[in-house]
Amino acid sequence: MPIIIPITDLRNTTKISELCHGKNEPVFITKNGYSDLVIMSAEVYEALTEGRQAARPAAQPEEMCFLTEQSPIWAGMLADVLQQHGIPFFKGSSLGAGLAIKTGGLSERIRFFVPGSCLADARDLVEELFSKETD
């Protein structure tokens, strides 16, 4: 499961440094609920850029797959459900910040992406949450 923290937590640099070195994986930073930055220890960076084969011969980054696009109201609920089921995800605005401000929040849509290995489970959850009953 990815480590995700809000940008305000960056004030405590010692804690962030310990987190990056202790987990040996990237830490995702959110701003206003959206993915904004990724930070990592120098060792992890070197393993990703130079020594990938030596550090992790069998490890390959998993492809992220599009899951769904929802309004901001429903996106919050979907994010909570995915977290509760242990499904890692990334989300981002379909409009971008500038266009979202000009057109207003009602036209904004949030896109969700999940690892390919979790796509089937995530699709089942989306179907369960957003399918309309015909009764």
Side-chain angles (χ1 to χ4, degrees), residues 101-120:
I101 290 170
K102 282 191 169 249
T103 61
L106 294 178
S107 62
E108 184 177 19
R109 304 288 289 172
I110 308 299
R111 293 180 179 165
F112 283 81
F113 298 87
V114 298
S117 63
C118 300
L119 186 59

Side-chain angles (χ1 to χ4, degrees), residues 76-125:
M77 181 183 70
L78 178 57
D80 287 343
V81 170
L82 290 172
Q83 284 179 338
Q84 289 171 5
H85 286 83
I87 298 175
F89 65 92
F90 292 108
K91 64 181 181 174
S93 174
S94 62
L95 297 178
L99 192 55
I101 290 170
K102 282 191 169 249
T103 61
L106 294 178
S107 62
E108 184 177 19
R109 304 288 289 172
I110 308 299
R111 293 180 179 165
F112 283 81
F113 298 87
V114 298
S117 63
C118 300
L119 186 59
D121 292 336
R123 281 185 176 160
D124 289 344
L125 290 172

Side-chain angles (χ1 to χ4, degrees), residues 2-108:
I3 302 167
I4 304 170
I5 62 173
I7 199 164
T8 55
D9 286 3
L10 290 179
R11 292 180 185 138
N12 189 344
T13 56
T14 303
K15 177 184 171 190
I16 299 300
S17 176
E18 290 172 357
L19 181 64
C20 288
H21 287 283
K23 294 293 184 176
N24 284 332
E25 62 182 272
V27 176
F28 298 90
I29 310 298
T30 60
K31 182 177 181 183
N32 297 324
Y34 298 101
S35 182
D36 188 48
L37 302 168
V38 178
I39 60 174
M40 62 189 80
S41 68
E43 294 86 11
V44 171
Y45 177 76
E46 289 172 6
L48 289 173
T49 58
E50 296 173 6
R52 177 179 286 211
Q53 296 302 329
R56 297 182 196 167
Q60 293 293 327
E62 192 167 358
E63 182 178 345
M64 296 300 282
C65 300
F66 176 76
L67 174 62
T68 188
E69 187 174 276
Q70 298 293 328
S71 68
I73 294 170
W74 295 112
M77 181 183 70
L78 178 57
D80 287 343
V81 170
L82 290 172
Q83 284 179 338
Q84 289 171 5
H85 286 83
I87 298 175
F89 65 92
F90 292 108
K91 64 181 181 174
S93 174
S94 62
L95 297 178
L99 192 55
I101 290 170
K102 282 191 169 249
T103 61
L106 294 178
S107 62
E108 184 177 19

